[in-house]
Amino acid sequence: MTSPTPHQPQRTPSDQQAPHTTETADVPRQAQAPQTSPEPDGYRETRIERAIGRGFGLVTSRALAPYQTAVIRIGFSATWLLFLLREWPHRGVLYGPDSPWNLDMARRLLDGNHAFSVLPWSDSRGWFECVYLVAVVASALLMLGWRTRTMSVLFMVGVISLQNRSIFIGDGGDNVIHLMSMYLVLTRCGQVWSLDARRAKRAAAAAYASGGEDSGSAPAASRDLPGVILWAVLGLGLALAQLQGGYGLGWSEGGPFPHIGWSLALWGLWLAHGLWWAVQRYAPGEPRTVLDTLAKLAHNGALLVIMVEVCLIYATAGWYKIQGSRWQDGTAVYYPMHLDYFSPWPALSELLGSNGVMVMLITYGTVMVQVAFPFTVFNRRLKNVLLVAMICEHLSIAFLLGLPFFSLAMITADAVFLPTNFLTWVSARLSGLRERLFSRGGADRPAGGTGGGEPEARPGHGDGGHTLVG
């Protein structure tokens, strides 16, 4: 039988002298383990959870690929600017009142496809000239990186307004510019190689010199009178267009997203820009951190969409080519080389087109590169080799077939996969060349910087050449 009272262990003298000693202090460390770690193994963080946590931290802690997005900004804005300048004498016939596709026909087409354009707001020549001029100025300023957030919106409006006015005169390059102009609005494409980055770097240097902030923190938003005036003028213009019943300014239909009209989208961007400035200036704590995290998340999401878009372009182009009989027998490249419309250099086209082996190699090589590229983006070395091949292919299209703007648009789209180390190397060489040509004694440059508002290149960090885009 068991005793009705538990048997108490005999205390030692040391135990009697220290009656208040905690239980964990007397128990050996091996015996404490089950008590201090009562959670079973199921509560431990799994490998998938750790990977998700690292990925979430990556996409919210910084805006990825600053150099690649800067190249995209410069490339697409420069391509559209050069096209607008080249077609300046013919602008009225292409998109204006002199077009055979008149405004009434354009409005009926826009009603059917629910596209957006500001040109149908008025049938006057002055309005068309104003829109065309704004498109030229916005492209130039976006290329230079002046007020990139605002200029990216104006650039998008200019691109889609002109292209949707006469959709039958575009090609594949115009479609790429059309899509990328909307993606650029969501990216922070002015982090490097822009006047905005240069102004921010000078403001940070001035704040550090005055002792107001440390070198590692972002400078407080200045009054920025030009930015406030630009924001107010654009808001007033949008309000006037809204009051006058501007064509295509719906709240829930015909917009860039389902159930979001262009009126809601444009007003949302206008308010977001104003909120960003107000928070940067008057709320430097948690609100600024939250908005900055959301901006980084939008930037990285848009960057992913751009990369997927480029892969889809090449995948669909390659697989459609495989289905064509001329691509299968290796003679597809022969035919455009013998068309007068696509032969700016007839002698060179005749020389290449008369070589059957060369035509076959170019035909099959084009298909193989386009089909294989989406499957090699995760292999840095293979991706870079195919990237060089595709850039050379587009350069040959521009030179041999007389399609420079299509080629520039595709090369710019390919630039999202360029290695970061290569871009920083090019930047350093161009900076050195600029200093030698336009040296002013170096007094205006802050010490320790690379100039132009660029962040320091760190090959050993995640921004180096070992990422998907680098």
Side-chain angles (χ1 to χ4, degrees):
M1 293 179 64
T2 59
S3 174
T5 60
H7 177 70
Q8 300 293 333
Q10 186 178 0
R11 291 178 178 270
T12 62
S14 60
D15 294 334
Q16 296 175 0
Q17 295 175 0
H20 299 290
T21 305
T22 58
E23 183 180 359
T24 56
D26 297 329
V27 180
R29 183 172 299 178
Q30 293 82 0
Q32 295 181 32
Q35 299 178 9
T36 57
S37 301
E39 295 86 2
D41 292 340
Y43 287 92
R44 293 179 180 176
E45 190 179 34
T46 63
R47 184 178 302 176
I48 296 178
E49 291 173 339
R50 288 194 297 269
I52 293 175
R54 287 195 300 268
F56 183 78
L58 179 65
V59 299
T60 57
S61 61
R62 59 194 175 95
L64 299 173
Y67 292 94
Q68 286 82 358
T69 50
V71 172
I72 292 175
R73 182 199 86 233
I74 296 171
F76 283 117
S77 57
T79 302
W80 184 243
L81 174 63
L82 292 175
F83 174 80
L84 294 179
L85 293 179
R86 191 194 72 169
E87 301 299 341
W88 181 271
H90 315 290
R91 62 190 183 279
V93 177
L94 292 177
Y95 305 111
D98 301 331
S99 174
W101 188 258
N102 59 43
L103 191 60
D104 292 335
M105 299 169 67
R107 285 173 175 169
R108 285 184 293 188
L109 180 62
L110 293 175
D111 285 335
N113 59 16
H114 303 289
F116 175 73
S117 176
V118 301
L119 289 176
W121 291 0
S122 174
D123 56 357
S124 66
R125 178 173 291 274
W127 173 245
F128 164 73
E129 297 291 350
C130 178
V131 172
Y132 199 93
L133 184 60
V134 168
V136 171
V137 173
S139 301
L141 293 180
L142 182 63
M143 181 181 65
L144 297 175
W146 186 80
R147 313 286 173 179
T148 51
R149 290 191 181 97
T150 302
M151 290 305 126
S152 63
V153 177
L154 293 179
F155 175 75
M156 174 193 68
V157 172
V159 169
I160 62 179
S161 295
L162 292 174
Q163 289 187 355
N164 289 337
R165 169 64 175 82
S166 302
I167 64 173
F168 299 107
I169 61 175
D171 56 17
D174 295 317
N175 294 335
V176 173
I177 295 176
H178 191 113
L179 293 173
M180 296 301 175
S181 66
M182 293 187 285
Y183 301 151
L184 278 176
V185 174
L186 301 177
T187 63
R188 304 179 77 169
C189 54
Q191 299 179 89
V192 297
W193 299 340
S194 66
L195 296 178
D196 288 347
R198 184 182 182 185
R199 184 176 64 253
K201 187 173 182 178
R202 290 182 174 179
Y208 177 77
S210 63
E213 297 181 1
D214 55 21
S215 59
S217 61
S222 61
R223 295 187 181 276
D224 191 18
L225 184 59
V228 173
I229 294 176
L230 181 62
W231 179 79
V233 169
L234 292 177
L236 179 61
L238 184 57
L240 291 177
Q242 194 82 48
L243 293 175
Q244 293 180 358
Y247 191 85
L249 285 179
W251 289 98
S252 60
E253 295 180 357
F257 302 102
H259 309 295
I260 297 179
W262 277 106
S263 181
L264 183 60
L266 294 177
W267 277 116
L269 290 172
W270 184 79
L271 292 175
H273 288 178
L275 178 63
W276 178 269
W277 178 86
V279 168
Q280 289 289 316
R281 177 164 176 79
Y282 299 109
E286 186 175 352
R288 177 191 292 183
T289 303
V290 171
L291 283 185
D292 189 59
T293 301
L294 293 176
K296 292 173 182 175
L297 188 60
H299 167 93
N300 295 327
L303 180 64
L304 177 62
V305 171
I306 291 173
M307 294 160 55
V308 172
E309 187 76 34
V310 175
C311 291
L312 286 176
I313 290 174
Y314 284 114
T316 54
W319 286 105
Y320 270 109
K321 286 182 174 66
I322 288 177
Q323 302 175 37
S325 59
R326 295 294 177 262
W327 291 97
Q328 293 175 5
D329 60 26
T331 61
V333 177
Y334 172 85
Y335 298 99
M337 287 186 178
H338 288 76
L339 294 176
D340 294 337
Y341 184 76
F342 293 109
S343 297
W345 313 96
L348 183 59
S349 299
E350 180 66 26
L351 179 63
L352 292 177
S354 61
N355 191 327
V357 176
M358 182 63 68
V359 170
M360 183 185 66
L361 291 177
I362 296 175
T363 303
Y364 288 151
T366 300
V367 175
M368 288 188 290
V369 167
Q370 291 183 351
V371 172
F373 180 75
F375 300 100
T376 62
V377 293
F378 294 100
N379 188 306
R380 183 163 51 94
R381 295 182 179 178
L382 285 178
K383 177 207 61 173
N384 291 337
V385 172
L386 293 184
L387 197 59
V388 172
M390 290 190 302
I391 292 176
C392 293
E393 172 192 342
H394 292 305
L395 289 176
S396 63
I397 291 175
F399 190 76
L400 295 176
L401 301 182
L403 298 173
F405 300 109
F406 166 79
S407 300
L408 284 176
M410 292 308 303
I411 291 174
T412 303
D414 296 340
V416 72
F417 295 103
L418 286 176
T420 302
N421 291 337
F422 169 74
L423 294 176
T424 54
W425 178 84
V426 172
S427 175
R429 296 301 179 273
L430 293 178
S431 297
L433 179 61
R434 182 189 60 188
E435 289 178 0
R436 287 193 297 269
L437 294 178
F438 307 102
S439 177
R440 295 184 297 176
D444 294 335
R445 292 186 57 188
T450 57
E454 302 172 16
E456 297 291 340
R458 297 179 181 177
H461 275 238
D463 267 343
H466 300 283
T467 61
L468 177 63
V469 297

